[in-house]
Amino acid sequence: MRSAAGTLRRPSDLARAGLVAPERLAELERVAAQYAVAISPALVELIDPADPRDPIARQFVPDAAELAIAPEERSDPIGDDARSPVPGIVHRYPDRVLLKLVHVCPVYCRFCFRREQVGPRGRPSLSRAELDGALAYIGARPEIWEVILTGGDPLVLSPRRLREVVRALAAIDHVRIVRVHTRVPVATPARVTREVVRALKAFGKATYVVLHVNHPRELTPAARAACARFVDAGIPMLSQSVLLRDVNDDAATLGALMRALVENRIKPYYLHQGDLAPGTAHLRTGIVEGQELMRALRGRYSGLCQPTFVLDIPGGYGKVPIGPNYLADEDSSCSVIDPEGRRHSYAPTR
C-alpha cells in the first residue's frame, strides 16, 4: 500500500506513486486528456500496486480501455440534458428534482455516467444567478416534494455554501426532503466535519445522505467514523453502488459490502447496472449476471442487506427495477421460485 501527500491528478503522479508503470504514461495521458483523473490520499492508501486486479484501482486508476467507445455508448447516457428545464435542474420524475450545484468531485470514477460533464474541463459550477433560477423553478412547482443535491459531489462545497442552499430549500414549504448524494465520506472522510453535518440539517425538513460505495475495503475506519457523524446527528444514511466487473461482481464481495453498510447503520438502497457511458464497456457486467447475483444474495443475507437492482433507461426515461423474477404464471395458479431455485405451486392468483 502507498500513501500520498495530496490528490493524484496526472498520470505522472500515478507513476511516481507506483500505481502505474512508466511505459503506460503515453496512453494514460490520452485518457486523462479526455476524462478527469483524481485519486485522494485515502483511496491511494487502499490500492495494492502489486495486484493487477485490485478492485480499488479498477475504480479510479485510468485505463487505456477507456479510449474504446462502444457503438451503444452515449455522452449523456441517462438523458440529464433532455430533462433539464433550467441550468442545474434535472426534473425526470414529478415529485423530485436533481439540483446539480457543482461539476467537480474529490475523486473521479472511471465508470462515471457524467464523465463528460465533470472535472476541471467539465461544466462550471452554478453561478449565483443560475442557483437563484433553479431555486425559483423549485419554488414555483408545489409537486416537488424532494430535492436531491448531486453533481459533481455537493460535499466539496464549504459548510457556509451548503448551509445557504439547504436553508433556501427549507424556506420552500412544499419541499419536505433534502437528499445528498456523495462519495466524500469514503474519498475524503476528514471533510465530514461537525460544521458540514450541521449545514445539512434544516428545521422541519428531513435530510438523507446517500453514500456511493462499491467495495467493502472502501469502508475504512475513517470512512465509518465520517458516516457515524451523520447518523449520530440524526441524518439517516442510504447507499448506492454500481455493479462493476472485477470489482464487486461476485456474491461474497457484494454480500460483504452490504453487511458492512448495515453494520454501520447505512441501508443499502440501489445497486445500479452500469450506464452506457463512453469508454466503460470493460467495467460493465450483463443484466443477467446482475440478476443472478441478486438471486444469490436473497435468502443468504438479511433482508436489510438487499439493495434494489436498477437500470437507468438510456435517454432519460427513468430508473426501473430489473431484479430477478420469482414468479412464473401457469394456467390457474403461479409457480414461485424459492432462494434455492426450487419451484412451488401457489394458487389461486386472484
Side-chain angles (χ1 to χ4, degrees):
M1 306 293 179
R2 307 292 174 89
S3 61
T7 296
L8 308 183
R9 299 186 182 277
R10 295 178 296 274
S12 57
D13 296 336
L14 304 182
R16 280 193 292 272
L19 300 183
V20 301
E23 56 267 26
R24 293 179 59 198
L25 282 179
E27 64 184 19
L28 296 186
E29 290 287 358
R30 292 172 58 207
V31 176
Q34 186 78 20
Y35 308 116
V37 174
I39 313 178
S40 66
L43 291 172
V44 171
E45 188 70 26
L46 295 180
I47 296 174
D48 180 2
D51 181 2
R53 295 168 64 89
D54 182 87
I56 310 302
R58 286 274 290 175
Q59 295 183 66
F60 302 108
V61 175
D63 191 306
E66 296 174 53
L67 298 171
I69 311 300
E72 68 273 14
E73 292 177 339
R74 308 177 178 207
S75 61
D76 182 16
I78 69 168
D80 276 357
D81 288 346
R83 303 289 183 173
S84 183
V86 298
I89 293 288
V90 177
H91 198 172
R92 200 184 325 270
Y93 306 102
D95 74 338
R96 56 203 182 275
V97 296
L98 304 183
L99 176 53
K100 299 196 290 184
L101 298 169
V102 295
H103 287 92
V104 294
C105 301
V107 293
Y108 292 106
C109 305
R110 308 322 305 164
F111 49 89
C112 178
F113 66 92
R114 294 192 179 115
R115 61 192 331 219
E116 297 204 343
Q117 303 176 21
V118 300
R121 296 182 298 276
R123 297 182 181 179
S125 301
L126 287 189
S127 67
R128 171 57 64 181
E130 288 171 333
L131 177 57
D132 289 344
L135 293 170
Y137 178 91
I138 295 167
R141 287 160 177 80
E143 69 272 20
I144 296 176
W145 176 78
E146 179 183 25
V147 176
I148 301 162
L149 303 183
T150 183
D153 195 315
L155 293 194
V156 302
L157 294 171
S158 69
R160 178 186 61 81
R161 287 288 313 282
L162 288 169
R163 188 180 307 111
E164 287 177 356
V165 172
V166 171
R167 286 182 177 176
L169 292 171
I172 302 172
D173 185 63
H174 56 264
V175 173
R176 309 304 299 167
I177 308 294
V178 177
R179 194 196 319 172
V180 180
H181 286 189
T182 184
R183 246 201 186 287
V184 161
V186 161
T188 51
R191 288 191 66 91
V192 183
T193 62
R194 284 191 292 271
E195 291 73 23
V196 166
V197 174
R198 283 198 295 265
L200 296 183
K201 300 190 75 174
F203 179 75
K205 311 292 180 177
T207 299
Y208 289 78
V209 170
V210 180
L211 175 69
H212 177 179
V213 60
N214 297 316
H215 193 276
R217 268 173 43 199
E218 296 173 57
L219 292 170
T220 62
R224 293 172 189 233
C227 293
R229 287 193 279 278
F230 287 122
V231 181
D232 290 344
I235 298 177
M237 288 194 70
L238 307 170
S239 74
Q240 57 179 347
S241 305
V242 180
L243 187 59
L244 298 167
R245 187 168 302 286
D246 295 332
V247 173
N248 56 14
D249 59 336
D250 65 275
T253 299
L254 208 53
L257 172 61
M258 301 307 156
R259 278 183 172 170
L261 288 164
V262 172
E263 289 166 9
N264 284 276
R265 300 174 289 173
I266 303 168
K267 175 66 181 80
Y269 179 34
Y270 281 146
L271 176 66
H272 292 266
Q273 170 67 17
D275 293 309
L276 300 177
T280 62
H282 61 295
L283 292 169
R284 280 197 303 276
T285 62
I287 287 176
V288 172
E289 293 174 70
Q291 290 174 329
E292 289 307 309
L293 279 170
M294 291 303 300
R295 199 182 292 278
L297 294 186
R298 177 65 60 184
R300 293 167 177 80
Y301 293 87
S302 164
L304 292 172
C305 298
Q306 307 290 326
T308 301
F309 184 37
V310 294
L311 168 70
D312 254 310
I313 301 172
Y317 299 103
K319 191 182 287 95
V320 292
I322 56 169
N325 184 14
Y326 294 91
L327 292 176
D329 288 331
E330 297 178 352
D331 290 340
S332 60
S333 66
C334 66
S335 178
V336 185
I337 304 169
D338 70 24
E340 302 297 328
R342 297 170 298 212
R343 285 178 174 261
H344 307 271
S345 179
Y346 180 82
T349 57
R350 293 188 297 275

